[in-house]
Amino acid sequence: MKAILLAGGKGTRLRPLTIHTPKPIVPIFERPFLHYQLDLLKQVPEIDEVILSLNYQPRRIEEIFGDGSDAGLSIRYVVEPAPLGTAGAVRYAGESLHESVVVFNGDVLTEVDLAAVIRLHRERKAKATIVLTPVENPSAYGLVETDAAGNILRFLEKPKADEITCDTINAGIYVLEPDTFERIPRETAWSIERSFFPSLIERNETFMAYVYRGYWIDIGTPEKYVQVHHDIMDGRYHTPPFNGAAATSWVSPKARVDDSAVLEAPCFIDEGAVVKAGAKIGPYAVIGRQCQIEEHAVVDRSIVWANTRVGQDAVVRQAILGRQCHIGRSASVGDGAVLGDKSVVTDHSRL
Ligand code: GDD
Ligand code: MG
């Protein structure tokens, strides 16, 4: 069985972070995001190949995953000549498929039992089965109504406030039958959410819901990108290095933290990072590889990508800093600031 990962979007809501780092490989604790999805796919031994459907900066992604042997899965790359939308991408990547295929949005993190989703799909002989999850506000997602037996009655992408009739949304994880792909036009952009799913309902085809109430997040906005780090540091999502433990300060054995620096859990300091005298890290601070945190600087509730330097007495609070940034002495950066790679904040500036 094959899995298609839709990983071709531009990640506009995560700009400027995604200018040089496409969304599928933004780091979560310095590990490219797709690794976490591959970990989930690996739990289904039947999945013998992952097709990465790419468009935006495909080379950067290929460089990291190669043929997949390091990640423990066979990976093939399909690069669209132009963005074909979510359905167009599935058709383009799934051209040679003749058996059920698992499709994943490239920005969701979850602990759903994929094997159980595939089982339901087969038992019901469905044309499509999609995972639904409840959220507080469905307006940023695809709203999905079902009947008591789990048949999908309505699919409404990005509903307006007065169109919200239930709390279950499309979690971006599907099992599809390739014989339905013929209805997707070949060379125009087509949306799986706005056109393909409604077409199944119109034709009265078996279109099933698998409702999942466990951990699920779409990391596609700065708020959610920060949230996923908090969830891992608070033990809501189990993965290394925290592995479900809350209130832990994780410091790489290859980091250098001065004895007089203060670490407030939870926090994460990766290899090669240097934290100097009197600096304060945490709570909820993530310090990337080779970062330098100078004397008496403060970093809390922030994600700092690799090779960034935070100057003496500077304060970084509730911010995301890209790679190779320089925050000057006594500068303060905060309140949801998101700085792209190589940003420079001069001494004493306030942002
Ligand atoms: N290859 C390819 N080509 N991939 C694409 C394209 C394209 O033209 N457009 C989007 N993608 C990929 C993105 O990279 C992402 O992984 C996935 O498709 C979904 O796109 P998003 O832009 O993240 O969509 P969304 O988050 O607004 O909404 C989608 O996800 C929600 C769940 O997170 C929809 O599927 C909603 O229905 C769903 O609720
Ligand atoms: Mg998304």
Side-chain angles (χ1 to χ4, degrees), residues 13 23 105 107-108 218-220:
R13 286 163 292 187
K23 182 165 68 168
N105 279 354
D107 57 356
V108 298
D218 172 335
I219 62 141

Side-chain angles (χ1 to χ4, degrees), residues 164-176:
I164 295 173
T165 49
C166 60
D167 68 350
T168 39
I169 60 120
N170 167 26
I173 300 161
Y174 325 124
V175 185
L176 305 178

Side-chain angles (χ1 to χ4, degrees), residues 309-348:
R309 185 159 148 232
V310 178
Q312 195 176 327
D313 295 310
V315 177
V316 176
R317 179 163 286 149
Q318 283 188 42
I320 308 173
L321 311 182
R323 296 190 183 91
Q324 291 176 284
C325 293
H326 181 106
I327 309 301
R329 266 169 166 247
S330 302
S332 64
V333 178
D335 274 344
V338 183
L339 305 192
D341 293 354
K342 300 189 177 164
S343 296
V344 176
V345 176
T346 51
D347 295 353
H348 299 282

